[in-house]
Amino acid sequence: MPNIKTLAQREEKEVRFTPGHTLCAGCAEPMVVRTVLNAIEEPVVAASPTGCLEVATSRFPGTAWNVPWIHVAFENAGAVISGVEAAYRALTKTGVVKKRIRFVVFGGDGGTYDIGLQALSGALERGHDFLYVCVNNEAYMNTGVQRSSATPRCASATTSPVGDEIPGKPQDRKDLTEIVVGHHVPYVGQAAVSHLIDLANKVERAMKFDGPKFLNVLTTCPLGWRTPRDSAIVQSKLAVETRYWPLYEVIEGKYKINYKPKQHVPVEEWLKTQGRFRHLFRDPKGKERIAEFQAAVDRHWNDLLRKEQCLSGDGAEQG
Amino acid sequence: MRKVMTGHKAVAEAMRQIEPDVVAVYPITPQSEIAEYYADYVHDGIVHTELVPVESEHSAMSACVGAAAAGARVMTATSSQGLALLVEVLYIAAGMRLPIVTALANRSLSAPINIHCDHSDAYLARDAGAFQVFCESAQEAYDYTLIAQRIAEHAKVRLPGIVNLDGFALTHTSQVVEPLEDAVAKKFVGAFQPVHPLLDTDRPVTWGPFAMPDYYFELKRAQQAAMEEIPAVFLEVQRAYAKTSGRAYGGFVDKYHLDDADRALVVLGSTAGTAKVAVDALRAKGERVGLLKVWLYRPFPYHEVAAALTHVKHVGVLDRAISFGAMGALYSDVATSLLRSATRPALHNYIYGLGGRDITAEQLEEVLTGLGKARPDEVLRYIGLRE
């Protein structure tokens, strides 16, 4: 399993994602991209749908990508990588391509949870050999912090603002990780930018499988979350410690929670550090809403514990 | 060897001979049979092609773009709503200069839903940056699939192309077709030479970047320059095809009894066959009528259309789709062609055959007969419409 040293050595040998892009100060996305690319040993071809990452890394005539990379549109990264991978299979058959190449998509939550879900689902169902990494910062940050179906309940976004009538996003976020599990692909995982070695390990485990692999990686956005620029890791860590964002994986249908926080940290601790939830601490009804939020987090966590118990790799499901 | 086959089969045969590396396709009436024939070739191991049976036409073109950028030869086929769904990505394929050939089984657009032929879908893709060819017969659909592939992949062009064949009228009717021998067809199309393929991981390239106002305009101008190369390449490939097949198409337009005509029709696609019957009938009565069929619709052959029509007194341009709120799309192109001619015919625009409404030789005879009498004002006339 890769450690910081091996990741650094690989980067020293070949810088796959270069500095000089125009992602915001404090953005967590480059850490995810670098870690994923460095965790893969073989040559990589990457694709991205439209989004922050795409716009900030590919401004013509410059580029931050030192691996072959393609962007086509917002809703089709799953289909684009299907085509690239199909070309690879065809050209391997005819002997034009001779080496092992791996395929990775880096998509935001808008291009993955929402507009790109159909193309992703199609690619998963058809069994293309690729890794899809959802760089999930929980809203449409590229277009100015509009809500997506990955935006948590109560969060203030420009299309789910805190109004006099409706305070923030009324709905829960979609559980995309579990939607992908429903596609019965060999590897599905959830990771966070605060736990980079866990992320690298997950990439390495995932890449052992042929077929579709999926990683939902919580990243932070100082602009959209309204947090200080130096808080990405703290924010992400709090999301994990409060069990808001469990680190787990589903390998061939078997659940494994990679990290179980030793003590119970209320989700309020995570919420109160972010401007997008500030209203919850001012509004008289805020306490009630925070309690509902906590209940949803607990329910999700307990469901996950049960899934791990019933669907673990050690044969427990037979009982 | 001459064989009886449908337009679908003719296109599928050409595709089998081209043997693209990747075919990504989604079913839609009346295109589906092309995909079905091709799936048979793949599942019987006749071709090495990777078939990607995508979940939508949008993904079909997206997978084609990914595969073509990766360095593969790719093709697809679609119709109507499917074309409408994939047209977003067709613009991108053109912007990336990817030689993806699409067989378009022409069909009307919703609403109301209708599965039959008109050219609404082809007109929808008009400004995407793909070249477009219209076919009169299954033979032309076969020939132009091979020709289009070679044009699309020409070093000076490298753009997507659309081969139009009228839904049902061509796709589902059986005609005599004379395909080339497999080896001859393969040699004509040649090997695919990818440019900066993604799969060349030793030389990483960024495909589909983001361009601000400082570069976007110049990149689009360069795309137009590639489009402007097409007419010369089209003639060159037609000539090569004539040498290979013995079938000489001779240019961007097909002139039928036009040189001494004083009244003529301009059409796209299979209606040309019907129009030829009408012209023959009136010629038999001694009337000087003719027909201009346009093969190359985009880029539009303005000079050749003008040269073919300047001496004609009355021209009826037949559009098989409405360009809502404007004159017909083909009519507008023909009118533009004639703008700079010292002498030019009176132009009349007819809309016909929407949603598969029959068009008969008798109706076209009537149009040709009436051409000299109607006043050429800027109004749409309709053929075969109940009003």
Side-chain angles (χ1 to χ4, degrees), chain B residues 28 76 93 113 150-151 172 183 185 199 214 272 306 309 323 330 341 356 383:
Chain B
I28 182 169
T76 189
I113 189 167
R150 194 158 142 177
I151 294 169
H172 285 65
L199 295 179
D214 53 355
L309 294 176
S323 180
L330 182 61
S341 306
I383 308 172

Side-chain angles (χ1 to χ4, degrees), chain A residues 73-291:
Chain A
F74 197 8
E75 67 280 50
N76 63 357
V80 172
I81 207 73
S82 299
V84 175
E85 192 263 354
Y88 169 72
R89 270 187 287 152
L91 296 177
T92 303
K93 243 190 279 179
T94 53
V96 175
V97 175
K98 291 185 180 76
K99 60 183 166 190
R100 177 96 157 110
I101 300 173
R102 310 310 298 262
F103 302 96
V104 182
V105 175
F106 294 101
D109 49 285
T112 307
Y113 277 67
D114 291 345
I115 195 169
L117 182 61
Q118 177 185 310
L120 170 62
S121 175
L124 296 174
E125 183 269 333
R126 290 189 301 273
H128 295 278
D129 188 17
F130 73 112
L131 169 67
Y132 195 107
V133 179
C134 178
V135 185
N136 179 1
N137 58 19
E138 305 197 312
Y140 290 85
M141 303 311 186
N142 185 44
T143 41
V145 199
Q146 292 85 11
R147 58 89 85 189
S148 79
S149 63
T151 304
R153 176 186 281 269
C154 299
S156 163
T158 53
T159 51
S160 61
V162 177
D164 294 338
E165 201 60 42
I166 307 169
K169 192 189 173 204
Q171 304 88 1
D172 281 326
R173 69 190 154 92
K174 190 190 277 182
D175 195 345
L176 181 65
T177 308
E178 292 301 310
I179 292 170
V180 175
V181 170
H183 286 75
H184 306 300
V185 298
Y187 186 95
V188 183
Q190 253 189 208
V193 69
S194 48
H195 295 65
L196 288 177
I197 293 300
D198 174 73
L199 171 63
N201 285 336
K202 280 175 173 157
V203 172
E204 196 170 272
R205 278 199 290 278
M207 294 318 261
K208 290 200 168 81
F209 293 95
D210 290 329
K213 281 85 60 177
F214 178 84
L215 270 174
N216 198 346
V217 186
L218 185 76
T219 45
T220 59
C221 173
L223 178 78
W225 290 24
R226 288 185 268 148
T227 47
R229 281 183 197 162
D230 60 356
S231 71
I233 300 304
V234 174
Q235 288 297 329
S236 170
K237 208 168 180 181
L238 265 174
V240 175
E241 290 294 335
T242 56
R243 300 167 180 169
Y244 166 76
W245 191 260
L247 305 180
Y248 73 103
E249 56 195 349
V250 186
I251 303 178
E252 296 184 310
K254 310 284 189 283
Y255 279 70
K256 184 176 169 39
I257 302 174
N258 307 103
Y259 175 69
K260 288 176 186 163
K262 288 200 173 57
Q263 62 191 72
H264 186 267
V265 183
V267 75
E268 188 176 341
E269 297 301 314
W270 180 64
L271 299 175
K272 74 181 179 194
T273 58
Q274 300 168 54
R276 61 178 177 162
F277 296 114
R278 187 173 300 145
H279 57 285
L280 293 178
F281 299 91
R282 290 177 178 167
D283 193 293
K285 278 190 177 165
K287 265 204 162 66
E288 210 178 295
R289 295 203 171 95
I290 293 169

